[in-house]
Amino acid sequence: MASSCRKFPDPPLVFEEEPELAFQKDRKVLLVVVEGLNGIELEKDTPPTIKSMLANSKYTFNGLSDGSKDALTWSNILSGQWSDVHNVHGNSFDPEDIDDDDIHDHEGTGGAEGFVSIFQRVNEVGRKMTSAAIGNKGDLTDYAFKYADKLVEVDSDQKVKDSTVNVIKSMDAHASLAVVQFSDVRKAGLANAFNMSNASYKAAVDKTDGYVKELLDAVKGRSTYDKEDWLVIITSNHGGIENKYGSDSFEELNTFTLYYHPLFKTQKTSADLMNYLRFHGWYANETITTNSKSISYPETGVHAVSTGGAEDDIYNLAKTGELTIEFKINFYKPLELPNFSAYVNTYSFWYQNILSKDKEGGWVGATVASAVQTPGWSVNAYSSDSYGITLQDGKTTKSVRIPGRKNQTWQHVAITLKKSGEKTMMMAFVDGIKQAQEEMEVNVADLDNIEPIILGFSRRFQYGLLDFYMTDVRFWNKALADSEVSQVACLADLPNNHALNGNLISAFRKSDGNKLKDAKGNAARDLSLTGTPVQKTAFNYTLCSSGNALPYSLVDIAPQIYYWLDMPIADSWLLSSKPFLNNYEVEFMQEQTK
């Protein structure tokens, strides 16, 4: 058997120089919190240091906190969690202090009883990293800053600046994080006003801006600076209105935040705002019994009710022939009622009305047998993961389950109804995705009533007291097409020249005292609010927003620090935000040779 051998060329040896080992610069973070710095006011008159940093920063002037009390806002920063997660709701970290506005005794310490801080997280990393905190002695340093490896407590912003310069100069290779508190801007706002037209406030801002320059100079003056990669974060914890803060106006919730790195390309983020109300509770002193458990709610909760009658014919499908019901909603925190566990701490409901034109629809008593079937329609919460639409013609009730509901997150919902012979064609969209379509065996002509529009709880009750946030409730005299649903959801306000403007019946997004105002300007269609309504402000949720387009909030800070320091984030940390600086690695990620 013949065999052969395949020959390969035998090239001469080539001796190449061994490349120098690449290494990543030593990463460090400087977080400077300027208390009481109102972002919108800062944009009007930005002092020189901060202004120069914007050219290499990702920043926003219209960030938001979810409250404006001191301990709450600092807890947002140090935990990376919103207040409903970290459960610090007042002005003090001291668990012995009682806040008059904190009727549920939410206040807690910045330690294990409240949240785990960034100082503790840095300490827990498998490799040796240390942190420093510098601030004016008080609750913040006593409770929240005490977990830093190095704590400096002083009695003035001047000394905070001097101490921070010394800390920066002395940071060794293990020192990775320094957190700084400046309080003079907040004090100037309280003494006079939180705006740049107030000379004292502006002077405090300008002086603090000078302090920031000295801190930057100290960073850049380090002998090891060329081998380090610094992320500098400047933020405020809240703003103020006139000479106060602590409530939920936009001016008080407003924050400023920048993330600075010399290789960052400038990017300013902003967004429309939305006002929203919390709808919750039940009727005062009405006893409800379900599964042998009874509840008598002590006071009427918050819902919104129209006048009813002829003025509300525009919401009668029998009159319009077509109707679109659209809203944004967030099932966020179940109502707290001690000793009534059957009705609270649950997101599971049984056809509870979110909004309706059917005042007496559904269960009035404990059983289905006692149902009163009056003509009308209602949008419901069903089970723990669905919405629902119910139509009643006075004799029969037809319901369709609409999947796709999420809890503790804002969602956009649109339901269209249209006459289809002797039936009603229904289509439902959640976050722009069609989740249900069905011909319901109810004649549009039989849905006529003189009942009011109700936003929030009404007579339908079976398991679980409703507790949710809702806004941008809009009614259209047209069954919007799929593309139109997504289009209008992206608009905070409908322009006067918009093609659909003539189809918009009414829109409800902002309250004024005990009225939920019709944004179309028809006072006769304003809704009356019951109970004690509290209006809050948040970034407007739209289907068109991308994650990088939203303004930075206080809970974004901790995740960016963890990312910068290459710290793995566990789901068990319950962070309210995620890292986004990794989206810009092409700008700053460089390796140097030794």
Side-chain angles (χ1 to χ4, degrees):
M1 183 180 201
S3 65
S4 65
C5 176
R6 187 171 183 179
K7 293 184 178 180
F8 293 90
D10 186 16
L13 295 175
V14 176
F15 296 93
E16 297 181 344
E17 291 185 4
E18 182 178 351
E20 294 185 8
L21 293 176
F23 76 104
Q24 202 171 34
K25 288 186 173 183
D26 182 23
R27 286 190 166 183
K28 298 183 184 295
V29 177
L30 173 64
L31 168 60
V32 179
V33 181
V34 183
E35 294 182 328
L37 181 57
N38 187 308
I40 298 300
E41 290 297 317
L42 181 69
E43 187 173 22
K44 295 176 183 176
D45 190 353
T46 311
T49 303
I50 292 177
K51 189 173 184 178
S52 67
M53 296 175 73
L54 298 182
N56 300 101
S57 293
K58 313 298 180 184
Y59 67 97
T60 186
F61 287 105
N62 71 339
L64 285 175
S65 176
D66 65 341
S68 64
K69 294 188 177 182
D70 292 322
L72 180 154
T73 56
W74 268 102
S75 298
N76 289 350
I77 294 170
L78 296 177
S79 70
Q81 300 169 337
W82 289 125
S83 61
D84 69 291
V85 181
H86 62 62
N87 278 325
V88 179
H89 292 263
N91 276 321
S92 174
F93 291 99
D94 185 347
E96 302 301 321
D97 286 354
I98 301 300
D99 185 342
D100 291 338
D101 296 326
D102 184 30
I103 59 174
H104 297 298
D105 192 24
H106 280 127
E107 294 207 26
T109 71
E113 295 177 19
F115 59 85
V116 178
S117 72
I118 53 177
F119 304 117
Q120 293 160 285
R121 297 293 184 202
V122 167
N123 239 329
E124 293 168 356
V125 174
R127 60 190 187 280
K128 178 63 174 174
M129 290 200 300
T130 62
S131 60
I134 309 96
N136 288 274
K137 182 170 177 54
D139 273 357
L140 180 66
T141 56
D142 288 346
Y143 292 97
F145 275 11
K146 70 177 183 178
Y147 295 99
D149 295 288
K150 183 179 182 65
L151 172 62
V152 181
E153 299 176 283
V154 292
D155 57 11
S156 72
D157 276 9
Q158 171 78 44
K159 293 179 181 178
V160 168
K161 182 265 297 180
D162 292 340
S163 299
T164 304
V165 168
N166 291 332
V167 167
I168 291 172
K169 288 180 177 179
S170 63
M171 289 173 72
D172 61 19
H174 298 295
S176 301
L177 170 67
V179 180
V180 184
Q181 173 216 26
F182 287 125
S183 59
D184 281 352
V185 172
R186 173 178 56 82
K187 293 174 183 176
L190 285 173
N192 297 278
F194 285 86
N195 61 70
M196 296 297 276
S197 61
N198 165 28
S200 297
Y201 187 78
K202 175 175 166 48
V205 172
D206 289 342
K207 191 171 185 178
T208 305
D209 183 74
Y211 293 160
V212 171
K213 182 180 185 305
E214 292 190 54
L215 301 188
L216 288 177
D217 289 343
V219 167
K220 295 175 182 177
R222 285 173 54 83
S223 61
T224 52
Y225 179 70
D226 288 342
K227 297 180 180 180
E228 297 168 346
D229 207 7
W230 283 79
L231 173 67
V232 179
I233 307 171
I234 313 292
T235 190
S236 52
N237 61 334
H238 59 72
I241 186 170
E242 297 174 345
N243 65 341
K244 62 182 184 296
Y245 67 91
S247 296
D248 293 322
S249 69
F250 168 69
E251 292 83 358
E252 293 164 280
L253 300 178
N254 179 219
T255 61
F256 162 77
T257 302
L258 70 76
Y259 297 87
Y260 168 83
H261 186 279
L263 296 179
F264 279 169
K265 295 179 181 178
T266 186
Q267 182 180 26
K268 176 183 177 182
T269 63
S270 61
D272 293 325
L273 300 172
M274 66 180 183
N275 301 108
Y276 63 93
L277 291 171
R278 178 187 177 199
F279 294 87
H280 64 97
W282 187 245
Y283 297 99
N285 301 317
E286 284 197 14
T287 299
I288 308 160
T289 301
T290 301
N291 293 345
S292 301
K293 294 185 178 181
S294 298
I295 180 174
S296 180
Y297 197 67
E299 59 185 28
T300 298
V302 176
H303 68 173
V305 185
S306 70
T307 57
E311 186 64 43
D312 286 350
D313 268 349
I314 54 171
Y315 308 113
N316 265 323
L317 193 59
K319 298 293 194 302
T320 61
E322 299 184 32
L323 187 68
T324 295
I325 306 158
E326 179 206 358
F327 55 93
K328 298 187 180 87
I329 192 166
N330 186 348
F331 290 87
Y332 209 77
K333 191 175 185 181
L335 188 70
E336 294 180 359
L337 268 181
N339 303 320
F340 291 110
S341 59
Y343 302 100
V344 300
N345 298 321
T346 178
Y347 290 114
S348 184
F349 304 102
W350 190 258
Y351 290 111
Q352 287 275 54
N353 286 351
I354 297 168
L355 55 91
S356 58
K357 194 177 191 304
D358 184 12
K359 186 176 181 180
E360 299 298 335
W363 293 277
V364 176
T367 66
V368 177
S370 61
V372 178
Q373 293 173 334
T374 56
W377 57 260
S378 60
V379 179
N380 332 116
Y382 179 71
S383 187
S384 60
D385 59 1
S386 302
Y387 300 94
I389 177 73
T390 298
L391 303 182
Q392 296 187 165
D393 63 8
K395 295 174 290 185
T396 60
T397 298
K398 297 294 181 182
S399 297
V400 176
R401 183 171 180 171
I402 304 167
R405 187 180 115 215
K406 297 178 182 178
N407 300 308
Q408 294 192 347
T409 187
W410 281 101
Q411 290 191 293
H412 176 266
V413 180
I415 298 172
T416 69
L417 300 167
K418 185 176 183 179
K419 180 177 176 61
S420 177
E422 298 298 309
K423 301 178 182 179
T424 303
M425 173 58 72
M426 184 282 305
M427 289 191 290
F429 305 80
V430 179
D431 290 338
I433 299 172
K434 186 185 291 183
Q435 296 284 1
Q437 178 174 334
E438 185 170 324
E439 261 194 344
M440 302 178 69
E441 295 183 359
V442 177
N443 194 328
V444 164
D446 295 330
L447 296 175
D448 193 21
N449 68 33
I450 60 171
E451 304 290 355
I453 288 290
I454 303 177
L455 276 57
F457 65 88
S458 60
R459 286 288 174 177
R460 184 181 293 278
F461 181 93
Q462 186 85 339
Y463 308 118
L465 278 170
L466 282 174
D467 197 346
F468 62 91
Y469 301 139
M470 185 162 61
T471 189
D472 288 352
V473 181
R474 297 190 282 204
F475 296 93
W476 309 77
N477 62 8
K478 175 184 179 181
L480 298 180
D482 301 31
S483 60
E484 291 172 330
V485 167
S486 294
Q487 181 188 144
V488 298
C490 294
L491 299 173
D493 293 298
L494 202 68
N496 291 331
N497 61 351
H498 195 281
L500 292 171
N501 191 60
N503 298 110
L504 182 61
I505 298 172
S506 56
F508 303 99
R509 62 181 318 200
K510 193 171 184 179
S511 64
D512 181 9
N514 63 350
K515 292 286 185 180
L516 186 56
K517 308 292 287 185
D518 175 21
K520 291 281 285 184
N522 188 336
R525 292 180 189 155
D526 291 349
L527 308 182
S528 297
L529 289 163
T530 61
T532 308
V534 177
Q535 182 167 268
K536 292 192 172 186
T537 306
F539 299 136
N540 187 35
Y541 163 78
T542 76
L543 300 178
C544 303
S545 294
S546 64
N548 297 336
L550 292 175
Y552 309 127
S553 62
L554 297 186
V555 297
D556 290 320
I557 293 171
Q560 310 323 309
I561 291 174
Y562 299 143
Y563 160 75
W564 198 260
L565 298 181
D566 196 25
M567 295 171 55
I569 296 173
D571 291 341
S572 60
W573 293 6
L574 299 177
L575 298 185
S576 298
S577 184
K578 297 179 180 179
F580 55 74
L581 289 179
N582 57 310
N583 295 321
Y584 308 107
E585 287 183 353
V586 67
E587 299 177 15
F588 65 84
M589 187 70 83
Q590 295 183 356
E591 289 185 340
Q592 287 78 27
T593 56
K594 290 183 178 179

